[in-house]
Structures are given as C-alpha cells and as structure tokens.
Amino acid sequence: MTEPAQLPPLPEIATIGVVGAGQMGSGIAQVAALAGYRVKLVDNNPEQLAAAMSKIAMGLDRQIRKGHLDEVARVAAMDRITASGALEDLADCELVVEAATENEQVKKAIFKELLVHLRHDAIIASNTSSIPITRLAAATDRPERFIGMHFMNPVPAMKLIEVIRGIATEEDTYLAIRAVTERLGKTPVTAEDFPAFIVNRILLPMINEAVYTLYEGVGNVESIDTAMRLGANHPMGPLELADFIGLDTCLAVMQVLYEGLADSKYRPCPLLVKYVEAGWLGRKVKRGFYDYRGEQPVPTR
C-alpha cells in the first residue's frame, strides 16, 4: 500500500495576489494592503486596472477624512499594491484570491492559466459567492490548498468573510486562511460547502421573492423597498440592494441554488432574467430596478 504524497509545508503569507480588479477585487486589494501584505492586483483589462487603483486611492482618502487613517499609512498601503495585466506576475505569491465574475467556466479558465505560473506550495482562494468549492478545487492541481474566501460587498466596510472548505481542503490551509482573515480585521465564519453557503442562501431568495412581488404586481419598486426598510428595519430595500449587488450576480446565484438544490422555490424570477437580458444590471451600468442616470435614482417600474 503506497503512502499518500506529502504536501509541501505552507509558507508564511507575505504577498497576496488578487485576480480581478472589479468592485470585489479592488476592495480585497485595499484591505490586504492596509493589513501590511504586499498585493499584486491582476486584470487583463488595463482600463479596469486603472479604475481599480483610482478607487482604492479614493477609498483610502475617505478613511483619512473620517479620521481612521493617516497620510503615512495611506502612502504605505498604496506602495504595497502593484497593478498588472499578467498572471505570471503572481508567481511569488503565497496566496492568490480569485475575484472574477460569478461564472464557473470563467473561474476554471483562470485557474488553468494561473497554475502554470503559481508556486507549488501556494494557496488558492475563490471569492465565489455561490459555486461549490469542491467543484472549483477539482479543476486545479491542489484541492488540498484550495478554499473559499467569500468577502462581503463593499469589502472595506463589511466585517464578515465566509470561509468554505472543500472536501479535500487540508486543516493547515483552513487555519492559514482564518489567520489571514483576522489580520485583515474581518470576522471569519465557517460555512459548509453547499450552494450559496450561508449569507446568499438566505439573502438571494429574499431578493428573488421581492422581484416576484414586483412581477406579480403586489407592489411597485418604491413601495416594496419602502415596506422592507420601514417594516423590517432593513437599511436598504431588497430591489435597491439587488441593484447594488448587480442583477447579473443575483441571477447567477439563484441559478446555482436552483440547479444545485433542485427545489422550485429557488427558481429565478422571469423578471430578473428579463432585466439581465436587457443589460439592466444595476448601479454599475446606471440602470436596473432604478435609473441612476439623473441626480436622484428613479424607479424603472
């Protein structure tokens, strides 16, 4: 009987790579740099990279204005971040966090290209908000060193990170990611590897039900959001929140729930599908359940 292959010891995590410079990736880069990590932010879109670096700088400036940060710390954090368009620049990272769009095939394609360059003892974490970690890990050469690290949006403000182990994730990988989470100033919560984990398993069906309420004419956009803000004390109405998350992301999570759990209660609302097909994806394109092109958001229905 052959002995199982020994995994290389985990290195000390000093450099974190972030793949994807969108809203989540830029936020992850910002908090990692503030925590003292060297950060390599990679995206194949130069305009997206430039926008991300600008957004990080503005976020740090905002923290200075609030008295949470001084200029020395701001400069040091910005100096720790390197922007790049090439995955090969992640070759020396001990941890790489994938923060690409919520699409399983896109993520797997990134992992395939990343593995060519990654050091053999590095950890890969996915910021997926719904896709099973075991399935993503199986597309890599290191399921034992693969884990889910689901940050909440907006990353600098939200304190939670869901930590999700795949079936093969080793204990030392899990403990290392919990330690990183705490150094980032976040609170780790362990979630089992079920579709959408904890937060989105609860949150997205509520949003989907709000869209059904709109679809069926029970209330209009304004009345639904006002009812939930004042009647349930939610800081943001569910349709406004959907626009903030991105309707394409909401739909992707509902599709994962519907397909993964085979329960009709998770069927995405046809109106949500229609908005996504129309390209009305929420705040990021200035139109969703609200139109954001004027001075004040205006309901679109």
Side-chain angles (χ1 to χ4, degrees):
M1 183 175 177
T2 58
E3 291 291 322
Q6 286 290 104
L7 290 173
L10 278 176
E12 180 182 352
I13 295 173
T15 304
I16 297 177
V18 181
V19 181
Q23 189 166 350
M24 298 303 294
S26 62
I28 294 167
Q30 178 178 323
V31 298
L34 278 174
Y37 292 105
R38 293 189 299 275
V39 179
K40 296 188 175 182
L41 180 60
V42 173
D43 199 294
N44 60 9
N45 183 337
E47 293 180 359
Q48 185 73 60
L49 267 179
M53 294 301 290
S54 176
K55 183 176 181 181
I56 292 168
M58 288 189 292
L60 295 175
D61 288 341
R62 192 178 306 115
Q63 288 185 271
I64 288 177
R65 290 195 298 271
K66 291 181 177 179
H68 300 158
L69 197 68
D70 61 31
E71 182 62 26
V72 173
R74 177 200 179 280
V75 171
M78 289 301 297
D79 285 347
R80 292 188 193 104
I81 304 173
T82 302
S84 170
L87 287 174
E88 51 260 40
D89 288 337
L90 302 178
D92 63 342
C93 294
E94 295 85 19
L95 167 63
V96 174
V97 181
E98 169 272 312
T101 185
E102 191 68 357
N103 179 294
E104 185 169 346
Q105 297 313 310
V106 170
K107 292 179 185 296
K108 287 181 176 179
I110 289 170
F111 298 144
K112 183 178 180 181
E113 186 178 349
L114 174 65
L115 291 171
V116 176
H117 309 290
L118 203 60
R119 52 188 286 172
H120 69 288
D121 56 356
I123 296 173
I124 302 175
S126 176
N127 182 53
T128 178
S129 57
S130 62
I131 303 167
I133 297 303
T134 298
R135 204 157 71 210
L136 292 177
T140 76
D141 63 355
R142 62 192 71 200
E144 303 88 355
R145 293 283 185 257
F146 194 101
I147 197 163
M149 199 176 185
H150 179 210
F151 291 77
M152 303 295 119
N153 184 27
V155 177
M158 302 296 280
K159 291 296 185 183
L160 179 70
I161 296 178
E162 289 182 311
V163 180
I164 310 103
R165 300 171 71 155
I167 194 171
T169 306
E170 291 285 351
E171 181 73 7
D172 58 353
T173 302
Y174 168 74
L175 293 175
I177 293 305
R178 282 191 67 97
V180 169
T181 298
E182 290 166 357
R183 181 170 162 182
L184 295 178
K186 307 299 185 185
T187 300
V189 169
T190 303
E192 293 299 321
D193 191 20
F194 282 84
F197 320 127
I198 296 173
V199 172
N200 282 341
R201 173 76 177 266
I202 297 168
L203 177 63
L204 266 297
M206 184 198 75
I207 289 174
N208 193 54
E209 193 62 29
V211 183
Y212 267 114
T213 304
L214 177 65
Y215 179 59
E216 294 168 3
V218 179
N220 61 24
V221 169
E222 192 170 19
S223 63
I224 292 167
D225 276 353
T226 300
M228 292 305 292
R229 282 197 306 270
L230 302 184
N233 204 27
H234 289 191
M236 189 181 292
L239 301 176
E240 183 185 3
L241 179 57
D243 276 356
F244 181 77
I245 294 169
L247 303 192
D248 51 340
T249 300
C250 293
L251 178 58
V253 173
M254 289 309 302
Q255 287 170 331
V256 168
L257 281 167
Y258 188 45
E259 293 164 9
L261 299 174
D263 192 323
S264 61
K265 72 180 180 180
Y266 298 115
R267 182 172 73 96
C269 179
L271 184 60
L272 177 60
V273 175
K274 185 177 291 187
Y275 270 62
V276 172
E277 288 176 344
W280 291 16
L281 307 181
R283 287 192 182 206
K284 59 189 172 184
V285 298
K286 300 190 182 298
R287 188 181 290 186
F289 292 112
Y290 292 85
D291 189 325
Y292 300 90
R293 294 173 295 176
E295 290 186 10
Q296 297 291 330
V298 178
T300 53
R301 291 176 74 91

